[in-house]
Amino acid sequence: MSKLNRRQFITRVSAAAGSTAMLTACGAPENENSVRISFDHGVASGDPLSDRVIIWTRITPQITGPGAPDEYDVVWQIAKDPNFNSVVYEDVFKTSADRDFTVKVDVKGLQPNNHYYYRFNIENTLSPVGRTRTLPLGDVDSAKLAVVSCSNFGHGYFHVYEELAKNDELLAIVHLGDYIYEYEVSKYSDPVLVGSSRAILPEGELLALDDYRQRYSLYRRDTALQNAHSQHPFICVWDDHELANDAWIEGAENHQPDEGDWEQRKQFAVQAYREWLPIRDYQDSANPAVTYRNFEIGNLADLIMLDTRIIGRDKAVDYLKEMIWQQIPFDVSQVPSGGAGIPLLDPQKLKDTNPATIQMITVPFDVTKNPPAPVLDWNTITKLDPKNLPAGQAFLPDAAAIKEKLLNDPNRNLLGDTQEAWLESTFKASKQNGKPWQILGQQILTGEVLIPEVRDILSEDAYLSKQIVDGIVTLGKLGLPFNTDAWDGYNAARQRHLQSIKANANNVVSLAGDTHNGWAFELVPDGEESSVAVEMATASVSSPGMENYLANTDPQKLSERLVQINEHLHYQNSHQRGWLEIKITPNHVVGQWFYIDTVKSKTYNIITGPSYQTDVNSHTLKKV
């Protein structure tokens, strides 16, 4: 990086001002000088290391089209004080329409564990001043991180960001994805808010590069988000909605064949993300989708950011398309002559029957009985319409077969082989370096989630239909997870992950977002009794949670039932938006949840949630 001296810097600014004067003399009204370039999207910083940090802004040119410059020289400064009396570096960054007029500088040569201030200047127009900080080196007594995810512009105000902007104790803000949402205006937003003060642009679904750029532009004009970015460095990784809902390596649930080529759409989404987020550009130039990386917090911890979304994820199990139903063996030897099939429920009878006359039949169950009883009458079975079963009857999933053939398929990946190997080596290096903590910044829940009986506490306006709720509850009763888009849907990969933690790490705290609700788990490998790590998950910034999908009259009761049915779950909040703060010390990590009483109005109150602590070498949680 070149460094301008004071005279060079003044010369650059003067030259830019002179260019503006020339443009004015060529016909532009004089009073347009001050608004020719503006900084409508504020400033931001991110990916701090002990000696460097990314600083970011975007210029908004008022002149476009014929006659507009092909590129702009934007002067940047970074200083030790907010008045810029102690400027450390200053230089020029060229931007253009090719990068959507964004400016992103990797400022190197900084001192560890220091606050810095930065700003940008073009044509005598100054940006807002941003504050950032570098990570510490050596022995560190404590570090505090804020954890956020799932900020849906059309579902509520970003009060969480506003609160974090006020918190001077934070080392950084860790954003675990769904920074934007890709849906069209009519899908997954609050129509009242959208119609009044949270209008969505563009109105359609994000498919092209300009679509993604416009949506980022909308979000980054939000004052609360600008305030958070201007006060703290962000460490970000995407989840699915920065691309499309339930994305995986070769597609997404929200990408249809008539919406173009998925690889092209993914390329557009990745490009816009890298333009608009203060994330360090990829080192592997052959694959700009690589975002997994590590941040060293002195000798205290490694913050290891993972991509559980598109770098190595296979397609999630789709129960609707891949469900394996329970079947009953029938002796059908008499059926050709007009007789009935005979159910073979006795193991000895099954063994003694000619295998050539045995047929496995998917039968419904009478779910009004406890336990549900199979319908075995041959005449009844043969006359049933599988799509219109009588009331009280349902097909039941074959839990054992689903676990064996789908969820535990060893060939299905979540992280991918390359990232798994990188994570294992990162764990080993962290452990060898004597760091007590390995903090995983990743998107989705690792802990198992079964849904309890909720039908007695549902309200009239539940988002999900009765049929879907019945299915979710049935899955829970059979010991099957409902969200196969989380680690629950990749259990073989999860077991490899947990065993790698057990073998290679010291103390892992896994962070998660995605669900829009707060959670705290101990992570226990299958077939073992002791936990190998803990997990803390944040509520969303504004996206609705279980209070929308499983609308209920008593959210506390729902949370209690979730904790009861899920053996290793210690805490759950099912109905509030908010954030998580984790304080890391050599001997323990404490997670503190905070909530916002409403994101539907501009006025709000803060609700302090519980705190849970994990002590070094315990891999367990306790409420404090």
Side-chain angles (χ1 to χ4, degrees), residues 213-263:
R213 285 171 166 175
Q214 285 189 58
R215 191 63 58 84
Y216 279 107
S217 176
L218 170 73
Y219 276 58
R220 293 298 290 273
R221 289 176 186 268
D222 183 272
T223 302
L225 180 52
Q226 287 190 17
N227 289 343
H229 270 301
S230 72
Q231 294 301 304
H232 305 292
F234 273 54
I235 298 174
C236 302
V237 70
W238 52 53
D239 196 8
D240 52 344
H241 291 291
E242 289 91 345
L243 295 97
N245 183 55
D246 289 353
W248 54 292
I249 193 169
E250 296 181 359
E253 178 275 334
N254 194 33
H255 182 79
Q256 313 310 320
D258 62 353
E259 293 179 325
D261 178 67
W262 166 250
E263 287 300 321

Side-chain angles (χ1 to χ4, degrees), residues 55-111:
I55 60 173
W56 179 99
T57 193
R58 181 186 187 269
I59 64 169
T60 303
Q62 301 302 314
I63 296 178
T64 58
D70 292 331
E71 60 183 20
Y72 294 85
D73 285 350
V74 182
V75 179
W76 60 267
Q77 290 179 300
I78 191 163
K80 293 182 178 180
D81 67 293
N83 296 319
F84 291 81
N85 293 319
S86 301
V87 173
V88 179
Y89 292 108
E90 47 199 13
D91 209 338
V92 174
F93 187 96
K94 292 182 180 296
T95 189
S96 67
D98 290 343
R99 53 179 301 119
D100 203 17
F101 302 107
T102 58
V103 175
K104 188 163 66 170
V105 184
D106 194 354
V107 184
K108 303 175 182 178
L110 302 177
Q111 295 300 310

Side-chain angles (χ1 to χ4, degrees), residues 494-495 497-503 505-509 522-525 528-534 618-620:
R494 173 167 58 189
Q495 297 312 310
H497 179 54
L498 295 181
Q499 291 300 332
S500 178
I501 289 173
K502 181 180 178 180
N506 279 328
N507 297 275
V508 167
V509 177
E522 293 176 354
L523 301 178
V524 181
E528 299 186 19
E529 295 183 357
S530 299
S531 55
V532 298
V534 301
S618 73
H619 315 309
T620 59

Side-chain angles (χ1 to χ4, degrees), residues 14-30:
S14 299
S19 298
T20 303
M22 287 183 66
L23 287 171
T24 303
C26 290
E30 289 185 1

